[in-house]
Amino acid sequence: MVKVRMNQLVGDQTGPLMSPLQLSVYWRLALIFFFTAFLFFLDIFTTAVVAETCRHGNDTGTFASWLEKLAPNKEENQSALSKVLKDDADWRTESGIRDSVCGWTDWLSYGQMLFMTGLLLGSLFGGAISDRYGKRPVLLISMCVHAVCGLVPAVFPQPLLFLILRCLTGICCCCINICAFSLAVEWTPPDSRLWPPAFLPFCFSLGTMGGAPLAWLNPTWTRLHLSLALPQIICLPLYLSIPESPRWLLLKKRTDILDRYRSNSPADNQRLDLLLDSAWSDLQKATEAQREDPVTGDHASSDIIHLKHPTVLMRLFVMSCVSAASALTYYGICLNIGSFGVGVYSAQFFSGLSEAPCLLVPLVRLGRRPMSMLALFLSGAACFVSLLLSRYNGTPMLVMSLALLGKLCVLAAIFISTLYSIELFPTVVRQRCLSLVNLSFRLGCLVNTLVPANPDGAISLAAMVIYSSGPIICCGLCLLLPETSGVPLPDSVVDCNRQLQPHQPAMDALWRTETLVSSQTSKVETFPVEKDSTISALLI
């Protein structure tokens, strides 16, 4: 069996890098992530559009008073004022309706908070639903609801409806994230599974860049929502051909669908056999780990016993702190991107551009711990320098550039910490530990929306101190963790204790791409079944 497997691997190296079915999965998921970014930062655009729209509307009263001074005749004054109000109706109501968005601008401040609440709710049940009903149907339903949620406010601009839709959009975004990452990882060979968590966020950053000029070209409430929602609705038919996860089909014994995928092309047949072989191996390892775990009572009691172990508690505390600090810094910069003295639309464009270098993170072979520490320290240092320059009247572009550098570094830290968390916790409690770490991340996102802004619109001093100090403190906490690169995944607490001896990669391994055969001899990039649905939990 091993000899046949090695022959398959060697022979596969000479074939195409991706089969047609894999290629269709990747470009469709890339398109989904591109459009998801449009509504993810919608609150930033609506705030800018409403501020500009209502400013024009409020200026009407001043201009009307000016007309009263110029036109002593009351009839002439009323005629001129009526003409001004009619011409300015589009700015005040967009349709002449007296009940305009400007009448409930205070409600908009709750939109981002409800969106983050939706992300938290989606992370609680999104993975369980996709594991039960499949990644593909949950992804398709979430995409349809996501697109409709962006379209409805353009037709019915009501405050309560808008807030409910923002919460529903957050739930859909999280479900899309979980299902898309799971599909990408499960359609990728084990040696290349570092790339989907880097490639899909890169497409998300491209969507962030594309949404900024769209919002700038459509500076009214209705046009803004239409421009961001219609492209998603038009592309919905393209997603119907996304295949289901081969791992999920194998687990549910849906061999008829697997046979249909195999019949597409010889390359699909070969790739699918390799993926199923890897998935079957992971399932067997997970089953063996469960059998070796002496369960005398129910599973919940056994999990609590393992969670109380000092090694597991210490790792859970460190990774929860890293997740919360990363969320505070990343979303603190994202949600306040217009507070650095640069225009909102240009700042949002450069915000997306700053995330593009994360695509190169899988090429760096520094190990999990040194890479996490470096990214966290650089993030905190960049935010701290940005804070100093902002307090000493630094150039707005330089201040924003340093803040975006901190955002780039903390995004790399989020990506690395996701894989780090998977490799730190034993199989018997990995799912529960990852859920708790994910909960810390989502709570950090939610806390950001509760931080009050300064009256002048700038980021408060206390907030910037937290954004800069949190990653640096977590950088020191990472010293308590072992290096997991090149070490087999732990199946029990005993295996966790064996990781305590740091395993540092050699310097000549930097920037070196692992071969397909060597990656099969270790479990570094092999994702067991119980964590595939949570690989994306910390990335959005």
Side-chain angles (χ1 to χ4, degrees), residues 6 25 42 71 152 170 210 232 276 355 368 382 399 414 426:
M6 293 295 293
V25 171
L42 176 66
V152 170
Q232 302 185 60
L276 292 176
E355 298 181 5
R368 304 291 186 258
V399 173
I414 292 172

Side-chain angles (χ1 to χ4, degrees), residues 327-344:
L328 283 170
T329 302
Y330 179 78
Y331 285 105
I333 296 174
C334 286
L335 302 183
N336 295 280
I337 196 64
S339 304
F340 295 101
V342 182
V344 173

Side-chain angles (χ1 to χ4, degrees), residues 22 26 72 134 166 177 228 285 299 318 340 344 364 386:
Q22 284 179 306
Y26 295 146
R166 287 305 291 162
N177 182 44
L228 298 181
K285 292 172 183 176
H299 288 277
V318 173
F340 295 101
V344 173
V364 182
S386 174

